[in-house]
Each structure stands twice: as structure tokens, then as C-alpha cells.
């Protein structure tokens, strides 16, 4: 019996070493007990303004970047896992400074307050993460305390959230869609504006958001006295203020009142030298929001834009919504009309402000309504801004380093020593063609790979279940 036990133990020991010696390459890539991983071979766009590092190596330890350089020139700790990224391009994860999560049913396209639940909100943050977004600013329709609660959490496979809570608007002049139009705090006097800002200060909102827009003359907008009171009270409370604006005259008054940023560009006329001087003196910033789904895309003979058949669309957008949009394009083609869009002044002014050195950063405006596909809309904005004058590198910086600075997310925005390990692995180089930001191979947030396959499977199951009803 003893000999049998001894022989059995010997057989187990031999089998153990056999498994170790002949384990698969995939297993060999698995993270080790040290919690240290070295990523090697990629072209690395660090987003610090320098040229890309070819054949790079960077080390992630405890979800932080600890070393960055050329392959063979970094000191790899013993026991570190290795991930081969030869042929890939790595860039910092995106920071989106204009989002509207919570209201969209991504299966049906319905916009409703009933959708504003913890489950729906988290799914939206996961959709952002799927598209390479590390953090997003929710800009004015966060009802109750949900967004503040989620801001304090780190949710797996999800972007971080920053929030302005409830924005301020004259009744009926908030967001254009009916489901959210009267969600912002209603303001009809300077006193009400100050009271709304004081409530935001109690929650330590990331910004105070102010809507100033007649919606093409169909609504009453906040008066200068009201929005100036809001901006002044924000300053008194130690908060920063931003605005949704349309008219140049309002934009000038808002800057003078203390507003530091604008969501959407100026759209009623071309900006003048006075405004450019003001914007540069006050270091104002813009998210142009040129409209990634409808605007500035190459339209093919069949009426659809060039990106419409890309794999990323089919991975994340419900078939019913794709069919609906295809029908819209077909109708436009039959009617002989160009794609719908806002006046050209937003594109003209984006180009002019950029040439003058005014700060412009990424704002995808995703989930503001059923037409703005979550996550994907922000990636389309890369192409729009390059089309009006940004170089691909400038656009990457605007969507990473510069937007992170605006949101004061110091741990994000660059692939740099000490930063959070938030980055995107791309199958092609976006410096060659900015559309390559959509060729996503993997996304890492806080040092962990986002489970994109799992998210896809979940969304496809939702589509299937809805189709059976």
C-alpha cells in the first residue's frame, strides 16, 4: 500500500510539471500573483503631446502605470505577466465632457423618465466603457441622488461618472426632447437661480449647468439677470459654471458673468474678434458637439454614411434602431434632401476658435435623445472635429488629456507614470486615419480589461428578448 501511495504521488508530481511545461500560450499571458503586467510591442500614443513611442513597453502594477518606454528599455519585475501588443496602437482612454445618461432605452430607442434607474444608468456607463470612455460628465438632467451615489462608486466595466446634478433653465427651455425638457431646475428670477445653485453646492456638484436657448424662437430663455445671478452664486459657492448656448450675444454675457465652458458651439452667427479675445483671456473651453451621427460624414450612393456598416455599429446598436435609421436614410435619398443638421455656424466657429487657440475638447452628447447612439456618437465626433481643422493628434489630445484637465480628473487623460491604467488598444493607427479610433481591440479601465464580449452578449440577449415580445 505504501508503495502504491508513493507511486501515485510521483505520478501526480510528474503530471504537474508536464502541465506547467506545456501550458498554452494564452495561459502564459494570464496575470501572475505579483499583480504586475507588462504590455509590449504597441505604438503608444501617450497623449502628453510628444510623438508616439514605437515598439513600446509599459508596466501596470496595482492598476497604475509604473514604467513607460521602449521595449527592452524598461525594467520588468520578476514574475510579471506579459501581453504582446505587436501591430497594435495604444492610446489613453477617452474623457467625454458632455453626456446625458439615464433616460434612453438602448433597445427600443424610447426616451422616458421611467428609464432613469440605477440599472439603466450603469448600463449606459458600461456602453461608454465599451467604446473606450474612462469618464463622462452628465450635463444637467440627473434626477434625485442617483448620479451622486454612482459618482462615489467604481463600477466594473463602466466609465466613471461626474455630474452637474440638475441644470438651470427657464421652464420649458431645457433639453429639446419631451422626456427631459422640464427636468432641470426651473428658474424665473435671479433669486430662484441663486437658490438652485445653493442646492447644487450642498451636493458638491462638479459644475453648475445653465441653459440659455430659445430653441429656434419657440421658448423663453433665461434673462441675463437670471444667468448672471447663477454664475455669480456658483463662484460664491466655490463651483464652476458652464452653459448650453446658441447665440453669440448670450455667450459674451455668460463669459463676463464667469462661465468657464460651453456645451455646443455658438450657432447663430460667426464669432467675432471681441469674443475670441474674451475666450482667450478667461481661458474658456468648448465641446463643439458637431453631431457624430448626422453631420460631416461621407454619404455613399445608397444614402448611408460610410461608417454605417462598420462592425462596431452592429456590436452595440439594436437591430431595430439600425433598421429605423436605414429607413430614414432611404427616405432622404428618395426625397433628394441632404442629411438633417444644425446651421453651419457651429462647424465654422469650431474651426475659427481652434485656429485662434481657444480650448475645444470632446463632448459626444450621447444619449441626449434616441438619435444619439451611446458611446458611438462620441467616437464619430473625432472625425467631425478633424474635418473642421484638427489634426488627428490634436483631436486625440482634445479627447483625452485636455478633457481630463477640464473635469479635473488628474488620474486620467494620459498614458504616463503614476496615472490610472486606462487605455484603448486599437487595431489600426488613428494618426493615419482618425476613423481608426473605432477599430477597438480591447479597452482597459483601472488596469482591468473591460469584458466587452460579456457586454455584447448581454445586449444581444436583450435585443432577442425584446424581439420575442
Amino acid at each position: 500500500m505504501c508503495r502504491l501511495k508513493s507511486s501515485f504521488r510521483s505520478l501526480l508530481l510528474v503530471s504537474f510539471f508536464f502541465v506547467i511545461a506545456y501550458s498554452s500560450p494564452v495561459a502564459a499571458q494570464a496575470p501572475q500573483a505579483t499583480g504586475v503586467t507588462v504590455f509590449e510591442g504597441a505604438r503608444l500614443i501617450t497623449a502628453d503631446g510628444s510623438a508616439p513611442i514605437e515598439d513600446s513597453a509599459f508596466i501596470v502594477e496595482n492598476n497604475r502605470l509604473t514604467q513607460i518606454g521602449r521595449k527592452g528599455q524598461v525594467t520588468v519585475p520578476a514574475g510579471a505577466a506579459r501581453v504582446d501588443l505587436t501591430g497594435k496602437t495604444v492610446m489613453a482612454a477617452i474623457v467625454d465632457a458632455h453626456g446625458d445618461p439615464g433616460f434612453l432605452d438602448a433597445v427600443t430607442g424610447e426616451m422616458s423618465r421611467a428609464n432613469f434607474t440605477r440599472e439603466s444608468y450603469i448600463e449606459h456607463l458600461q456602453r461608454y466603457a465599451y467604446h473606450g470612455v474612462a469618464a463622462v460628465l452628465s450635463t444637467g438632467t440627473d434626477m434625485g441622488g442617483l448620479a451622486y451615489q454612482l459618482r462615489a462608486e467604481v463600477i466594473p466595466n463602466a466609465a466613471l461618472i461626474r455630474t452637474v446634478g440638475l441644470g438651470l433653465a427657464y421652464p420649458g427651455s431645457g433639453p429639446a426632447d419631451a422626456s427631459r425638457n422640464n427636468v432641470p431646475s426651473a428658474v424665473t428670477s435671479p433669486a430662484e437661480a441663486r437658490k438652485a445653485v445653493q442646492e447644487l453646492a450642498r451636493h458638491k456638484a462638479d459644475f453648475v449647468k445653465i441653459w440659455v436657448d430659445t430653441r429656434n424662437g419657440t421658448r423663453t430663455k433665461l434673462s441675463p439677470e437670471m444667468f448672471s445671478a447663477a454664475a455669480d452664486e456658483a463662484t460664491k459657492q466655490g463651483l464652476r459654471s458652464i452653459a448650453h448656448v446658441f447665440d453669440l450675444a448670450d455667450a459674451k454675457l455668460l463669459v463676463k458673468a464667469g462661465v468657464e465652458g460651453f456645451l455646443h458651439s455658438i450657432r447663430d452667427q460667426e464669432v467675432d474678434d471681441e469674443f475670441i479675445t474674451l475666450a482667450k483671456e478667461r481661458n474658456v473651453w468648448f465641446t463643439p458637439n458637431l453631431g457624430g451621427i448626422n453631420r460631416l460624414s461621407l454619404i455613399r450612393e445608397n444614402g448611408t454614411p460610410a461608417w454605417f456598416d462598420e462592425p462596431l455599429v452592429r456590436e452595440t446598436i439594436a437591430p431595430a434602431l439600425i433598421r429605423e435609421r436605414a429607413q430614414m436614410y432611404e427616405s432622404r435619398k428618395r426625397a433628394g434632401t441632404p442629411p438633417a443638421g444644425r446651421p453651419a455656424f457651429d462647424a465654422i466657429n469650431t474651426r475659427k476658435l481652434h485656429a485662434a487657440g481657444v480650448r475645444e475638447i470632446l463632448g459626444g452628447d450621447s444619449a441626449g435623445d434616441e438619435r444619439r447612439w451611446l458611446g458611438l456618437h462620441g467616437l464619430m465626433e473625432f472625425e467631425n472635429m478633424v474635418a473642421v481643422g484638427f489634426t488627428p493628434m490634436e483631436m486625440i489630445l482634445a479627447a483625452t488629456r485636455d478633457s481630463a484637465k477640464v473635469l479635473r480628473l488628474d488620474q486620467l487623460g494620459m498614458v504616463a507614470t503614476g496615472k490610472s491604467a486606462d487605455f484603448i488598444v486599437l487595431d489600426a493607427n488613428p494618426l493615419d486615419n482618425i476613423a481608426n479610433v473605432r477599430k477597438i481591440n480591447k479597452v482597459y479601465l483601472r488596469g482591468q480589461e473591460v469584458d466587452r464580449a460579456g457586454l455584447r452578449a448581454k445586449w444581444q440577449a436583450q435585443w432577442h428578448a425584446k424581439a420575442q415580445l
Side-chain angles (χ1 to χ4, degrees):
M1 179 64 72
C2 290
R3 285 199 197 97
L4 285 173
K5 287 183 177 179
S6 177
S7 298
F8 183 70
R9 283 195 297 269
S10 298
L11 180 60
L12 284 177
L13 188 62
V14 170
S15 299
F16 173 78
F17 283 111
F18 181 88
V19 170
I20 292 298
Y22 292 96
S23 58
S24 70
V26 173
Q29 297 290 325
Q32 305 297 304
T34 60
V36 181
T37 304
V38 56
F39 296 82
E40 300 175 298
R43 173 186 300 103
L44 177 60
I45 303 171
T46 61
D48 63 359
S50 63
I53 301 173
E54 301 291 341
D55 198 18
S56 69
F58 57 95
I59 294 175
V60 175
E61 183 174 2
N62 296 325
N63 303 334
R64 292 275 168 182
L65 293 152
T66 58
Q67 291 187 62
I68 297 163
R70 294 289 299 273
K71 184 177 179 181
Q73 296 179 356
V74 300
T75 303
V76 180
R82 292 180 180 269
V83 176
D84 185 3
L85 297 180
T86 301
K88 307 297 184 185
T89 298
V90 169
M91 61 175 276
I94 297 163
V95 176
D96 190 330
H98 187 176
D100 298 280
F103 287 78
L104 177 69
D105 183 329
V107 177
T108 66
E110 177 194 27
M111 291 287 292
S112 170
R113 294 190 188 197
N115 297 331
F116 195 84
T117 64
R118 178 181 175 87
E119 180 182 14
S120 177
Y121 208 118
I122 289 175
E123 181 185 315
H124 289 185
L125 296 180
Q126 289 174 333
R127 287 180 178 273
Y128 278 111
Y130 188 95
H131 293 85
V133 177
V136 60
L137 176 67
S138 182
T139 55
T141 54
D142 282 333
M143 300 184 297
L146 177 59
Y148 295 117
Q149 294 166 11
L150 294 175
R151 182 177 64 176
E153 300 179 31
V154 177
I155 301 164
N157 299 309
L160 301 177
I161 184 67
R162 294 295 181 265
T163 180
V164 306
L166 292 180
L168 284 65
Y170 198 88
S173 70
D177 65 282
S179 66
R180 299 180 304 133
N181 183 258
N182 283 314
V183 171
S185 296
V187 170
T188 60
S189 70
E192 288 181 347
R194 291 186 183 278
K195 183 178 179 181
V197 172
Q198 289 162 9
E199 177 64 17
L200 292 171
R202 188 171 69 84
H203 292 286
K204 296 181 172 59
D206 293 285
F207 292 94
V208 172
K209 163 77 174 291
I210 306 167
W211 269 276
V212 185
D213 192 344
T214 65
R215 300 294 179 184
N216 294 319
T218 64
R219 298 287 188 271
T220 300
K221 64 185 177 183
L222 291 177
S223 69
E225 293 78 16
M226 296 175 200
F227 66 65
S228 295
D232 179 68
E233 189 64 29
T235 301
K236 288 181 177 179
Q237 296 292 334
L239 300 176
R240 299 181 291 163
S241 55
I242 57 179
H244 167 113
V245 71
F246 195 97
D247 296 344
L248 175 61
D250 289 329
K252 289 179 180 179
L253 292 175
L254 284 160
V255 173
K256 292 174 182 177
V259 166
E260 76 159 49
F262 291 96
L263 308 179
H264 301 285
S265 192
I266 293 162
R267 291 164 280 173
D268 71 322
Q269 60 183 291
E270 189 172 341
V271 296
D272 56 20
D273 291 342
E274 179 191 7
F275 181 78
I276 290 174
T277 299
L278 268 175
K280 294 181 74 172
E281 286 177 349
R282 307 291 179 92
N283 200 23
V284 165
W285 53 266
F286 282 83
T287 63
N289 300 115
L290 297 172
I293 300 300
N294 293 325
R295 300 281 305 285
L296 304 175
S297 296
L298 174 65
I299 303 300
R300 300 175 295 183
E301 289 185 4
N302 67 358
T304 63
W307 51 262
F308 193 63
D309 295 322
E310 290 181 355
L312 188 59
V313 175
R314 268 67 189 168
E315 290 174 12
T316 62
I317 306 302
L321 300 186
I322 294 174
R323 288 193 297 270
E324 181 183 357
R325 184 160 291 278
Q327 291 167 3
M328 179 193 72
Y329 288 132
E330 177 62 25
S331 297
R332 287 179 178 173
K333 181 186 176 187
R334 287 198 303 267
T337 56
R342 298 188 291 265
F345 286 119
D346 54 355
I348 292 169
N349 287 331
T350 298
R351 181 189 297 274
K352 189 169 183 178
L353 292 171
H354 178 60
V358 175
R359 288 191 297 167
E360 294 178 299
I361 61 174
L362 178 75
D365 203 10
S366 291
D369 57 47
E370 70 281 359
R371 295 177 294 110
R372 298 187 175 112
W373 289 346
L374 272 158
L376 187 62
H377 197 87
L379 293 179
M380 297 301 174
E381 191 74 353
F382 279 74
E383 274 191 280
N384 291 332
M385 291 175 71
V386 167
V388 298
F390 282 69
T391 68
M393 179 63 87
E394 287 173 340
M395 186 58 234
I396 290 171
L397 296 179
T400 55
R401 181 194 68 184
D402 297 345
S403 51
K405 285 181 179 178
V406 161
L407 298 191
R408 295 181 178 173
L409 291 168
D410 295 337
Q411 77 275 24
L412 300 179
M414 291 188 284
V415 181
T417 301
K419 300 283 188 181
S420 179
D422 293 55
F423 56 92
I424 309 169
V425 180
L426 301 170
D427 286 327
N429 185 2
L431 298 178
D432 292 337
N433 182 348
I434 198 62
N436 289 336
V437 295
R438 299 194 295 272
K439 295 182 178 179
I440 299 173
N441 182 278
K442 296 179 186 297
V443 176
Y444 288 82
L445 298 183
R446 303 172 290 276
Q448 304 299 311
E449 183 180 346
V450 173
D451 183 11
R452 298 174 83 239
L455 293 175
R456 281 197 305 273
K458 179 181 74 170
W459 298 332
Q460 289 165 8
Q462 292 172 349
W463 305 339
H464 180 74
K466 196 71 175 182
Q468 302 308 305
L469 297 178

